Amino acid sequence: MSLAAHLEELGLPLVEEQLKHPTVAGIAGGDLDEAVFRSWLEQDYLFLLDYVRVFSRLAWQAPAAHLGDLVDLAHATFHDELSLHRSLAAEFGADLEGASKGPACAAYTRFLLDSAASYGEGLAALYPCMWGYSTLGARLADNPPAEPRYRRWVDTYADPGFAELTRRCAQMIDEAAPDRERAEKLFLDGMRHEIDFWDVPL
């Protein structure tokens, strides 16, 4: 079993835990309190700005075969994901520019930026976000919410293009071949940050 596939196997119970979280369940049902989603949008917007910086820090260290992919990941995050957030922010009254990081967001971005000091370890640390959201999107798309704004969120992460970026990220982890034990720890730490992130500040 490849390292990335092994990490995904370890992460599946934690995806199930996310699916049971009230915030995710509310998105799935289309009845999440708008104040909660507004706060999540603000926090995730700030998170994604640093996520782009993580990709950029890794790109600086990347082998030539990975460089274009990391640029693509940074571009997709900055233009596609952040565009979704800006669009939804207008509909939910979110203040993206005036928001400040809550404890979960600050801890998660600090963890990712620190982990990105090492190339292979940085890829393992960021994989929970890529793979986790792709997996959540695919699961929620099986029975999507009727509420169109939450449906648009699900569709973004269920998109085949996002799944393809996730598969390429998995391939890069395998090719970078970080220490297996260290990669497991960072991946699981990242998955726990993902769960904590759903507890948005209100």
Side-chain angles (χ1 to χ4, degrees):
M1 180 182 290
S2 75
L3 175 56
H6 172 62
L7 296 178
E8 292 170 10
E9 189 174 72
L10 291 177
L12 279 174
L14 298 171
V15 170
E16 294 298 330
E17 189 173 335
Q18 290 184 66
L19 286 165
K20 295 173 185 173
H21 191 284
T23 302
V24 181
I27 293 171
D31 57 358
L32 180 65
D33 185 327
E34 290 196 7
V36 174
F37 193 73
R38 179 165 56 247
S39 179
W40 180 88
L41 277 173
E42 293 170 351
Q43 293 301 300
D44 204 52
Y45 180 82
L46 297 172
F47 170 85
L48 290 173
L49 290 175
D50 276 345
Y51 204 50
V52 172
R53 294 182 176 98
V54 170
F55 285 130
S56 300
R57 188 173 192 189
L58 292 175
W60 184 80
Q61 306 171 65
H66 293 182
L67 182 57
D69 296 291
L70 287 161
V71 171
D72 287 347
L73 286 162
H75 184 277
T77 302
F78 191 81
H79 291 284
D80 298 339
E81 281 195 79
L82 287 176
S83 176
L84 170 74
H85 285 55
R86 292 186 187 100
S87 171
L88 288 172
E91 299 178 40
F92 282 90
D95 181 11
L96 300 183
E97 303 304 327
S100 57
K101 291 178 183 176
C105 182
Y108 196 2
T109 55
R110 184 168 56 249
F111 161 75
L112 288 174
L113 287 163
D114 288 348
S115 299
S118 169
Y119 182 65
E121 291 184 3
L123 289 173
L126 68 79
Y127 196 51
C129 186
M130 291 282 307
W131 172 76
Y133 271 66
S134 182
T135 304
L136 285 173
R139 290 285 296 273
L140 296 178
D142 286 341
N143 185 24
E147 212 285 348
R149 296 172 299 176
Y150 293 135
R151 173 65 181 265
R152 192 158 14 120
W153 186 93
V154 170
D155 288 346
T156 296
Y157 295 108
D159 185 87
F162 190 75
E164 181 57 36
L165 289 173
T166 301
R167 285 191 292 271
R168 179 54 182 146
C169 189
Q171 189 177 22
M172 289 193 294
I173 291 171
D174 291 335
E175 292 168 357
D179 176 79
R180 195 176 186 90
E181 185 174 333
R182 181 72 178 147
E184 286 180 5
K185 181 183 185 311
L186 289 166
F187 177 81
L188 289 172
D189 285 349
M191 289 298 298
R192 293 186 187 100
H193 279 294
E194 284 289 315
I195 293 168
D196 290 344
F197 200 89
W198 293 113
D199 293 322
V200 297
L202 291 175

